[in-house]
Amino acid sequence: MCSLALFPPPLPYGQTTVCESNNELLSGSSTEDQLKQDFSPPSLSFPRESLKLHSRTENSSKAAFLDHSETLWMRSAAAWRDGGLTGLLNEITNSHPEVPKWLSMSSGCILALLQWVSSFHGSLFPHLTLSSEDMIAEFSQVLNWSDCVVRAFAWHPHTDKFAVALLDDSIKIYNPKSATTPTLKHRLQRNVAVVQWKPLCASALAVGCQNCLLVWHVDPCSLSTRPSAGCAHVLSHPGHAPVTSIAWSPSGSLLVSASPMDTAMMVWDVAAESCVPLQRVGGGGVTFLSWSPDGSHVLASTPSALFRVWETRMWTCERWPCIKGRCQSGCWSPDGSRLLFTVQDEAVIYSLTFTNTPAAVPSGTSKGPHAAVVVADLSETTFSTPDGDIIVGGEIQSLAWDPRGERLAVLLKGDPRAADRSPIIAVFKTRVSPIFELLPCGFVQGEPGAEPRLMQFHPNFRHGALLTVCWSSGRITHVPFYFLSASIPRLGLSGSPTLPHVQERPADFANQSLFTEFIS
Amino acid sequence: MFSAEQGCWFIRKVICWRAAASIAWAVLLLPPSTAIFVILSKFSVLHPIQTISECFSMLTSATAIFSFILLCGVIIMVGFLNFEYYTVIPTIACSKIALFGQLLHPRQLVNSLVHCIMGMIVAWCSAVTIGFRYETLGHPCAQTDGYHQMCLNEYHLILLLGGAFVGFSHSLLGVIHNMNYVSFHTVQQYKYLRFKGCLPLVVKCSATQALYSVRNFIVVYYFLGYIPRTWICKTLNLHLGSSAHPLDSIAGLLDLSLLYHLWISATFLLFTWYITLLLFRIFLTEGYSFPVQSSFTEDADHCLPKVLTEKQPMILKFLALQDLALLSQHSPLRRCEVFSLSQPGGHPHNWNAISKECLSLLADLTQRLVAYHDTVATNGRAKSLSSGSERKTSSETSGTEDFMSPRPTALMKTPASVFTRSIAGGQQSPLTAPFTPDLDSPFMSPALRRLAAPVEQGSPWYGTVQSPHIMRRVPKLWSTSTDSQVNGSSPPSPASVPSDKQEPSKPSFLAQFLQNRREQVKNFLAKRVLIVYLFNKLPEASSQALFADSQAHIWALEGLSYLVQASFSEDQFGVVQTTLPSILSCMLVLQEAVDRHFKLPHASSKPVRSTSSMGDSTYKTLRFALRATLKTAIYRITTTFGDHLNAVQLSAEHRKRLQQFLEYKE
C-alpha cells in the first residue's frame, strides 16, 4: 500500500510547484518562474473584490416593496404557485381574520402534521433538512464551496478552452485562440455547482445549478461577449433540485444529473428535452456522478453509506454499501476497468475493478468484483521541514485522474481549525496495465496562504498531464507534468507526444515499498 | 393494412407474439387493479372493517366474476385495437381542417364507436361492482295509487353514459395527442424496470384525464342529459322516478358521492386502457437482435443487411435500425461480422448493404429538406420581387398575409404559391412526401384538396418515389410559374403573374379572367374568420411533419458513425475506407440542409413540453435530436480520424466544411 510517508516533504514556505519534469516536481519562488512551453493556457486571477456580488437574495427583495393588500384568493393562488401545498396551508393559517376559524385551525393542524412527517423523513436522511445552498456545499467536489470564488471549472474535452463559474453566478469561457471571453448569465443560473462540456460537440455546456439544469450553446465563432438567455435550454424536473452533479456520456448523446433531494437519477436526452428517471430503493438521493471514459459504467453515490455503479447498456445497477460513510468522490481509469473512490471520514483510497463483459451477451449485471481493495493510505503524516513540522493527510475531498491514467491527484481536506494542516494536493504516479501501480510523486502547492479548492486535468495535453488548480485566492494555475506516456496514446489524441525539452529518465523506485496489485 | 402486413415473417413471428404477450400481461394485471378499484370505490372512513369484508364478499360473487370476464374481453379488444392502429411514424395534422379530417376518417369513426361501447361495458362492470344505488337500470317504485311499476335508475344511467363519454373522449384525444404513435427510447431498459418507472405516470395521467373527462361529461349531461334519459324511458318502457332530483339539475349533480364514483370509475377505465397501451409500447419497442450474417441460406432474409433494406413493415425497419445503432455501439463481435468479407469472393457484402441503406436514408432526408426549402425560399424571393405589382392588384391579399405571418421578410409562404404547389402535389403521385405539410393551405379549392387528400394518409416515408419536383432544385426564381406550366394548368398565382409577363408566351385572356375570379373567391374566403381558423397552418407543424420519421435517420447516423469510429481499430480489411468519402459528404450535405432548415421561421422554436399526457410527444422534438445527432456523428468521425481525413477524397467545399469540424468551430 502506498502511504504519504513515502512522499517527498512539502516545499518550504513561499515556494510554489511549477511543473514536473525528469520525474521530479520543480518549484519556484514566484509564479513568473514558469517554464517556457509551446502551450501555456492563461493563468487567471479573480480577486474577490472584483466580483459584483448580489447584495441580497431574490426572496428577501420582497421587503423592499410596499405591502400591497390582495384578496385572500389571490394570495392563496400565489402561495400555491410559489410554495405548493405547504405554502398554501401557511397562507391560510396566517390569515386569521379573513378565513373561518375552522379552516385556519384545520390547515394549521395539517401543516403541523406535514412538518412532523417531513421531520421524521429528515431524521432518516439528515441532508434533507439542509437548505439548497448548504446542500450544494456539502456534496460538491469543491472544497469549501460556499466561500469559493471559482465555484466550478471545466476544460473542453477536445480543445484548449475552458469554462469558469464564479461566485457572482456568471460563467466565463476562455479560449486561448480567441480574444473574446463570453460571459454567460441567466435568470435561473444561481449557485452553480458544476459545469461540464458536452463531448463531441464544440458548443454545448451543461450547468447544474440551484433550481435546474441549463445547457448553453456557445457558438465558438460568435464574437458576442454576452450570449443571450435564448442560447440556454432549461432542463428541469419537479423535485430534481438542487443539481449537485452532472455527467455527459463520453459519446455525447446522454446527460445524467443528480440531486440529493431526488432519489431518482435523471438521464436526459438533451436535444429532445426528455428525461428518464432511474430510481432504486435506498440512499435518499444522489450526490455525485462520474461516467467512465469508455462509457460503460456510471458511478452514482448517495448521501447515505451506499453507492451504485450503473452499467449503461441496459441501465441496471450494482449496490455497493460502504461501512463508514458516504462515497465522497471517485474517478475512473481511462479504459473504464478500474474505479478509485474515497469514503467520507476515511483517509484511504479504495479500488474496484470491472471486467468488461462482451456486450454481445446481454448479461443481467456486469460481473464486478466482490470487495473493494484499499490502494492508498493517506492518514496523517508529519514531515519535518526547515519551517517546522507540517502535518499532511486526512480526509479526501476529491480525486482526479489524468486522461492517460498516469497521474492521480488527490485533494486533501486538511483541518480548517489547525493552522499547520491546510488543504494540499498530493499527486501519485499510476499505471493501469499490465498491473495497477501507485507510486508517490509529490505535493502541489500554491502561493503562500492560497488553498487549493478545485482541480481538474486537461483532457488532452500532449506532453503528459496538465493539472489545473483553482485556489482560494481566486487564482487559476496550471501545473504541467511532463512525461512520456508508457501506454499507447488513446484514440483521438492524435499525434505522438513531442518532448518539449525535458528528457525522461527511467524510474527507479525499486528500493521503495509501493503499491502494486501483487503486494496487497 | 393488417392483412397486407400479415405476410411478413417478422410480423407473424415477432410482433404478433409481442402484442399477445403485452395483452396477456395486461389481463394478468387486471385482478390487482380491479381489487384496488373495488376497495377505493367502497371505502368508507367510518366502517373500515366492514368495507373490507364487503369487498371480499363482492370479489367472490358471481356477478363480479362475470363482470371480470367482460373486463378481460375489453382489455383484449383494447390491446387488439392498439395493435391494429399503432404507428411508428406519427401523422401530423398541419391545420385544424386536417385534424378534423383525421377525426372524421371512417377508420377513426369505427375506433371511436368501439371505444364508446367498451367504455360503456367497463362502466356497467364498475356500476355492478360498486353496487349500492348504481346496480340496476330499473328499480321498482311506488306510484301515488299504490300500483308498483319499474322506474328508471338514473344513477346507473349516468354511470353508463359517463363510461361511454370517457371512452369516446379517450379515442378523440388519442388522435389529437397521437396516442397511437409508438416512440423508441434512447435509454434501453429491461421491460419490468421500464414498466415500473412508468407506472406512477400512468396513475397520474389516468387520474387527471378522468377528472377532465368527468368535468366535460357533467357539463354535457347537464345540458343534453334529458335526451338519452327520455329515449331510454321510452324504449324500455320505464318511468321517471318522481321522488328524487333529476340528475341533470344543479342540485342533482352536486352529489359528491356520485361525482366521486364517476371519477373513480373513469380513472379505473382509463388506467386499465393506459396500462394496456403502455405494455404494448414497451413490448413493441424492445430491442430485437437480428443476426448480421447467417450460415444457412434460408435465414438470409432474416439477416440485418437484408432486413434493413425492406420498406414494409415500418416497425421491422425501425427495429433493424435500432439494432444497428446498438450493435455498432456496444458489441465488438457483431461489428466484426459487419466488417467481415464474404467467404468465396471476399466482398464486404454486409458493410456495403448496411452503409448503402443508411446513406440512401440520409440522402432521402436531404432531398426532402432541400425540396422543402427550395419551395419556401422561392416563394419568399418571388414575393419580394413582385411585391410592388401585387400590392397594386390586390391590397387585401397582402393584408391577410400580414395577418398570417407577422414577419413578411421571412415569409413562410404566400398563399398564392401554396396554391401552386398544392396543384403540383395533387397531380403528381400521392406519395410526394415533402408536400404533406403544405397541402392544407388556406386557399386551396376543395377540388384540389380532394385530389391531394390521399397524401394525408400516406406516411411521409415512401419518399424513395422521386417526383421530378423533388429532384429539381436549380430553377429558383421562376420555379412557380414553370411548375404550373409543366403541369399544364393555368398559372393561378398572382406571384407568377409578373413573371409571366416577362416570358414570351403569355397565357390567354380566358385564363387570366379565370384566375382573377379565383383570386377574388380566395380573397373573399380569406376574410372569413372561421375559414382562416380552419385552414390556417399550425406553426412548426410542417417542420414536425418533415422530420416525422427522423428516428430512423438518427439511428442511421449513429450506426454509421459508431461503425466508422470502430473501423479505425477493428476494420482489418479496410472495407470502411472505401465508403468513407461518401459517408462524409452525405453527412456534410445533410448538415448543410438541416442548418438551412433551422433558419426558417418556426423551425427552431421549441414546443411546449406536456408531461401529464399518455400521448408521446417525442416526435415534436425529433428535429432537434436529429440536428444534435448529426453534429455528434460528424465530430465522432473527425475526432477519431483526425488529420488522416486530409487523405480522404472530398470536394473542396466539403473539405472546408470538414476543416471547421476538425477545428471544433461548428
Side-chain angles (χ1 to χ4, degrees):
Chain A
M1 187 188 304
C2 194
S3 79
L4 281 181
L6 300 171
F7 270 67
L11 297 172
Y13 185 81
Q15 296 264 306
T16 56
T17 313
V18 177
C19 71
E20 184 206 287
S21 103
N22 290 332
N23 253 327
E24 52 191 317
L25 287 174
L26 303 182
S27 62
S29 52
S30 68
T31 45
E32 284 77 44
D33 209 7
Q34 297 266 347
L35 283 179
K36 285 262 182 276
Q37 26 182 304
D38 55 351
F39 164 64
S40 54
S43 184
L44 300 166
S45 180
F46 301 99
R48 187 175 295 265
E49 302 76 39
S50 72
L51 298 177
K52 210 171 85 186
L53 300 179
H54 301 298
S55 50
R56 59 169 74 89
T57 62
E58 209 157 288
N59 289 334
S60 67
S61 66
K62 230 181 218 173
F65 294 95
L66 283 178
D67 192 26
H68 172 67
S69 63
E70 287 172 317
T71 60
L72 179 67
W73 284 110
M74 295 293 285
R75 271 184 291 140
S76 303
W80 170 258
R81 201 182 54 234
D82 294 342
L85 183 63
T86 16
L88 179 67
L89 290 174
N90 237 331
E91 184 63 45
I92 293 175
T93 319
N94 290 337
S95 45
H96 290 297
E98 291 166 75
V99 292
K101 195 162 169 13
W102 61 269
L103 189 60
S104 68
M105 281 286 282
S106 59
S107 64
C109 287
I110 296 171
L111 195 61
L113 192 72
L114 278 180
Q115 276 164 357
W116 181 73
V117 168
S118 71
S119 73
F120 179 69
H121 193 203
S123 68
L124 272 180
F125 297 109
H127 69 274
L128 294 179
T129 53
L130 295 174
S131 75
S132 51
E133 207 159 328
D134 292 341
M135 197 179 290
I136 298 175
E138 172 75 23
F139 297 113
S140 170
Q141 292 292 296
V142 184
L143 183 59
N144 205 351
W145 176 85
S146 44
D147 181 42
C148 202
V149 179
V150 178
R151 291 194 143 172
F153 179 92
W155 279 106
H156 190 273
H158 308 289
T159 61
D160 287 332
K161 64 180 170 184
F162 57 86
V164 181
L166 297 173
L167 187 58
D168 61 352
D169 294 339
S170 68
I171 294 178
K172 288 186 194 298
I173 293 168
Y174 289 89
N175 190 349
K177 286 183 189 155
S178 106
T180 53
T181 53
T183 306
L184 312 178
K185 284 188 180 177
H186 195 277
R187 189 172 50 85
L188 294 168
Q189 184 173 293
R190 280 186 287 148
N191 291 329
V192 177
V194 58
V195 293
Q196 199 177 13
W197 291 92
K198 177 179 174 177
L200 297 178
C201 183
S203 58
L205 176 74
V207 180
C209 37
Q210 187 177 326
N211 293 323
C212 62
L213 197 63
L214 290 167
V215 180
W216 285 92
H217 287 273
V218 191
D219 187 357
C221 300
S222 162
L223 293 173
S224 137
T225 51
R226 277 293 299 273
S228 76
C231 298
H233 289 147
V234 181
L235 303 175
S236 65
H237 193 266
H240 195 72
V243 178
T244 56
S245 187
I246 54 177
W248 284 97
S249 73
S251 63
S253 52
L254 297 172
L255 173 72
V256 291
S257 69
S259 165
M261 289 295 276
D262 193 358
T263 51
M265 172 175 103
M266 294 290 161
V267 183
W268 295 91
D269 184 352
V270 173
E273 292 191 18
S274 63
C275 70
V276 178
L278 295 177
Q279 199 156 20
R280 292 293 184 273
V281 177
V286 185
T287 58
F288 173 71
L289 295 169
S290 171
W291 207 308
S292 73
D294 68 335
S296 60
H297 292 93
V298 178
L299 164 75
S301 66
T302 66
S304 38
L306 168 79
F307 68 93
R308 295 193 178 87
V309 179
W310 294 83
E311 61 85 27
T312 58
R313 193 173 142 73
M314 294 306 277
W315 291 98
T316 51
C317 68
E318 288 173 23
R319 278 167 63 98
W320 281 93
C322 309
I323 298 166
K324 256 191 156 169
R326 65 183 159 87
C327 171
Q328 165 67 29
S329 179
C331 58
W332 293 89
S333 67
D335 58 352
S337 64
R338 182 175 294 272
L339 168 69
L340 297 185
F341 68 93
T342 63
V343 171
Q344 203 187 24
D345 301 330
E346 276 190 88
V348 292
I349 301 176
Y350 290 98
S351 158
L352 277 175
T353 46
F354 293 87
T355 49
N356 285 325
T357 48
V361 187
S363 58
T365 51
S366 56
K367 291 285 171 291
H370 298 291
V373 185
V374 176
V375 293
D377 179 11
L378 300 177
S379 52
E380 292 175 4
T381 311
T382 311
F383 289 96
S384 55
T385 60
D387 302 333
D389 285 358
I390 296 178
I391 304 172
V392 174
E395 255 188 79
I396 296 161
Q397 176 70 23
S398 67
L399 296 173
W401 208 339
D402 94 278
R404 299 185 194 197
E406 306 247 349
R407 292 292 180 275
L408 174 73
V410 181
L411 175 54
L412 295 162
K413 258 184 194 171
D415 191 347
R417 281 157 298 181
D420 57 342
R421 293 181 53 203
S422 55
I424 198 167
I425 295 175
V427 179
F428 292 90
K429 293 171 187 164
T430 55
R431 186 190 290 175
V432 180
S433 65
I435 50 167
F436 179 67
E437 281 187 333
L438 205 59
L439 318 170
C441 179
F443 296 107
V444 171
Q445 284 163 283
E447 290 169 345
E451 295 176 353
R453 288 288 158 85
L454 170 62
M455 56 180 190
Q456 194 175 34
F457 275 106
H458 190 290
N460 44 11
F461 185 62
R462 286 173 162 230
H463 314 300
L466 179 74
L467 182 68
T468 303
V469 186
C470 306
W471 302 93
S472 58
S473 57
R475 278 192 83 85
I476 298 177
T477 60
H478 310 277
V479 182
F481 296 79
Y482 295 110
F483 57 84
L484 259 188
S485 182
S487 60
I488 308 151
R490 281 172 56 224
L491 294 183
L493 307 169
S494 53
S496 58
T498 52
L499 270 189
H501 56 276
V502 196
Q503 291 299 312
E504 188 160 356
R505 283 183 314 208
D508 52 343
F509 287 105
N511 52 348
Q512 297 178 5
S513 75
L514 303 159
F515 176 80
T516 69
E517 273 185 336
F518 292 144
I519 294 172
S520 63
Chain B
M1 174 181 165
F2 182 63
S3 54
E5 283 180 3
Q6 273 288 25
C8 177
W9 65 272
F10 191 71
I11 297 291
R12 245 184 303 121
K13 281 190 181 163
V14 181
I15 299 296
C16 277
W17 283 112
R18 287 184 172 192
S22 74
I23 294 173
W25 274 108
V27 169
L28 281 180
L29 284 173
L30 199 53
S33 48
T34 314
I36 291 170
F37 164 69
V38 168
I39 291 170
L40 284 180
S41 63
K42 285 182 172 277
F43 190 76
S44 74
V45 187
L46 300 177
H47 311 285
I49 298 168
Q50 192 190 343
T51 311
I52 291 170
S53 63
E54 258 181 35
C55 288
F56 264 111
S57 59
M58 173 67 223
L59 284 174
T60 46
S61 68
T63 49
I65 289 169
F66 175 67
S67 61
F68 184 76
I69 291 169
L70 269 184
L71 282 179
C72 289
V74 168
I75 290 297
I76 291 170
M77 190 64 202
V78 168
F80 181 73
L81 284 179
N82 285 339
F83 178 52
E84 180 75 345
Y85 281 77
Y86 85 93
T87 170
V88 285
I89 301 170
T91 331
I92 292 158
C94 291
S95 64
K96 292 277 190 298
I97 193 76
L99 195 58
F100 282 122
Q102 281 182 20
L103 289 178
L104 296 177
H105 192 269
R107 215 171 120 80
Q108 180 54 36
L109 285 182
V110 170
N111 190 8
S112 302
L113 189 69
V114 174
H115 271 100
C116 220
I117 295 168
M118 288 191 307
M120 206 177 266
I121 294 173
V122 176
W124 183 84
C125 292
S126 47
V128 168
T129 323
I130 296 170
F132 185 40
R133 58 184 181 187
Y134 303 98
E135 199 151 4
T136 52
L137 189 59
H139 64 96
C141 57
Q143 226 36 3
T144 42
D145 52 357
Y147 176 67
H148 283 271
Q149 58 184 5
M150 292 301 277
C151 281
L152 176 75
N153 181 6
E154 205 176 349
Y155 291 104
H156 187 82
L157 180 69
I158 200 170
L159 221 54
L160 287 192
L161 289 177
F165 184 86
V166 173
F168 182 68
S169 63
H170 169 80
S171 113
L172 284 195
L173 285 176
V175 174
I176 293 167
H177 293 315
N178 261 323
M179 226 176 270
N180 61 342
Y181 165 58
V182 176
S183 75
F184 290 80
H185 278 264
T186 39
V187 175
Q188 298 285 312
Q189 272 181 286
Y190 287 105
K191 290 194 288 275
Y192 165 68
L193 294 171
R194 178 170 289 176
F195 176 75
K196 206 178 75 176
C198 289
L199 203 55
L201 181 74
V202 171
V203 173
K204 201 180 110 190
C205 280
S206 47
T208 48
Q209 191 52 53
L211 202 63
Y212 288 126
S213 295
V214 165
R215 181 198 65 188
N216 297 344
F217 169 68
I218 282 174
V219 172
V220 170
Y221 192 80
Y222 178 70
F223 288 109
L224 302 173
Y226 66 93
I227 301 175
R229 197 175 53 198
T230 43
W231 183 73
I232 292 270
C233 284
K234 265 192 191 143
T235 45
L236 295 183
N237 203 11
L238 292 172
H239 293 267
L240 276 178
S242 55
S243 56
H245 295 286
L247 281 180
D248 58 346
S249 63
I250 291 192
L253 283 175
L254 273 182
D255 182 351
L256 273 184
S257 139
L258 173 71
L259 293 185
Y260 173 72
H261 282 128
L262 268 177
W263 174 72
I264 197 93
S265 53
T267 307
F268 173 66
L269 180 151
L270 287 178
F271 178 74
T272 51
W273 292 5
Y274 282 160
I275 283 285
T276 319
L277 180 65
L278 175 73
L279 282 168
F280 178 72
R281 281 183 187 166
I282 289 174
F283 272 84
L284 195 70
T285 56
E286 196 198 0
Y288 185 85
S289 179
F290 296 90
V292 177
Q293 57 184 4
S294 163
S295 36
F296 303 105
T297 44
E298 58 263 32
D299 289 344
D301 281 352
H302 302 182
C303 289
L304 190 60
K306 183 78 182 61
V307 161
L308 271 181
T309 54
E310 280 178 29
K311 303 238 156 26
Q312 275 304 321
M314 230 54 225
I315 180 75
L316 173 60
K317 182 143 194 154
F318 270 61
L319 283 173
L321 281 165
Q322 186 190 30
D323 187 41
L324 174 70
L326 289 176
L327 90 86
S328 65
Q329 216 168 334
H330 293 295
S331 52
L333 286 176
R334 297 177 68 201
R335 278 201 299 258
C336 212
E337 286 180 59
V338 173
F339 298 138
S340 69
L341 300 181
S342 65
Q343 200 33 265
H347 295 286
H349 289 306
N350 292 336
W351 166 251
N352 282 347
I354 288 172
S355 63
K356 194 177 152 209
E357 180 56 28
C358 290
L359 287 181
S360 80
L361 271 179
L362 298 181
D364 173 48
L365 179 66
T366 314
Q367 269 174 3
R368 221 191 290 170
L369 288 178
V370 164
Y372 178 77
H373 194 274
D374 270 6
T375 43
V376 172
T378 313
N379 299 328
R381 215 167 306 164
K383 152 89 177 154
S384 62
L385 277 178
S386 62
S387 57
S389 59
E390 196 183 7
R391 200 155 296 149
K392 234 183 295 166
T393 50
S394 57
S395 55
E396 293 95 336
T397 317
S398 53
T400 46
E401 276 163 25
D402 287 348
F403 161 67
M404 279 171 59
S405 57
R407 286 169 293 176
T409 45
L411 206 64
M412 186 79 175
K413 48 179 49 83
T414 61
S417 53
V418 165
F419 188 59
T420 323
R421 221 163 341 106
S422 57
I423 290 183
Q427 288 183 346
Q428 282 159 2
S429 126
L431 304 174
T432 48
F435 305 107
T436 333
D438 305 320
L439 281 171
D440 23 61
S441 61
F443 306 93
M444 205 159 64
S445 74
L448 291 172
R449 206 179 317 124
R450 216 178 314 121
L451 262 178
V455 189
E456 213 50 57
Q457 297 303 322
S459 81
W461 205 21
Y462 296 26
T464 36
V465 181
Q466 280 157 10
S467 69
H469 193 87
I470 304 178
M471 298 302 286
R472 190 191 316 112
R473 59 172 299 200
V474 194
K476 286 206 172 151
L477 213 50
W478 311 119
S479 63
T480 32
S481 58
T482 41
D483 267 1
S484 49
Q485 280 172 359
V486 164
N487 289 320
S489 67
S490 60
S493 69
S496 59
V497 173
S499 67
D500 285 331
K501 277 173 192 160
Q502 288 155 18
E503 285 178 26
S505 61
K506 284 189 180 180
S508 66
F509 175 74
L510 189 67
Q512 284 276 12
F513 175 75
L514 274 178
Q515 189 222 323
N516 283 343
R517 298 302 304 186
R518 204 178 289 172
E519 202 49 42
Q520 283 171 359
V521 171
K522 272 192 286 174
N523 287 336
F524 175 76
L525 286 179
K527 277 183 279 184
R528 299 294 165 274
V529 177
L530 182 69
I531 303 282
V532 169
Y533 171 77
L534 284 179
F535 286 86
N536 214 351
K537 284 177 76 65
L538 302 170
E540 22 163 335
S542 47
S543 256
Q544 281 175 18
L546 264 181
F547 288 93
D549 59 339
S550 280
Q551 186 64 61
H553 303 116
I554 289 172
W555 282 325
L557 281 169
E558 281 187 351
L560 273 184
S561 63
Y562 277 114
L563 282 174
V564 169
Q565 184 186 31
S567 78
F568 191 75
S569 54
E570 292 175 14
D571 180 13
Q572 297 171 353
F573 308 108
V575 295
V576 174
Q577 281 180 24
T578 52
T579 30
L580 193 54
S582 56
I583 290 175
L584 277 174
S585 57
C586 182
M587 284 184 179
L588 289 172
V589 169
L590 181 58
Q591 161 80 12
E592 198 181 336
V594 168
D595 273 357
R596 273 173 63 194
H597 181 82
F598 270 89
K599 293 207 174 87
L600 296 176
H602 294 307
S604 55
S605 56
K606 290 260 175 184
V608 192
R609 274 202 300 157
S610 62
T611 47
S612 61
S613 160
M614 272 302 280
D616 210 324
S617 58
T618 324
Y619 63 90
K620 289 182 183 165
T621 48
L622 269 180
R623 58 183 188 280
F624 301 103
L626 179 90
R627 182 174 62 166
T629 313
L630 178 59
K631 249 185 197 170
T632 311
I634 300 177
Y635 269 121
R636 190 169 290 136
I637 297 176
T638 55
T639 314
T640 311
F641 283 80
D643 293 333
H644 299 297
L645 284 181
N646 292 330
V648 178
Q649 286 196 336
L650 284 173
S651 69
E653 195 186 337
H654 287 164
R655 187 168 298 287
K656 211 171 138 195
R657 198 81 204 249
L658 205 60
Q659 195 58 36
Q660 295 273 314
F661 276 95
L662 281 168
E663 288 167 6
Y664 293 94
K665 282 188 175 165
E666 270 296 319

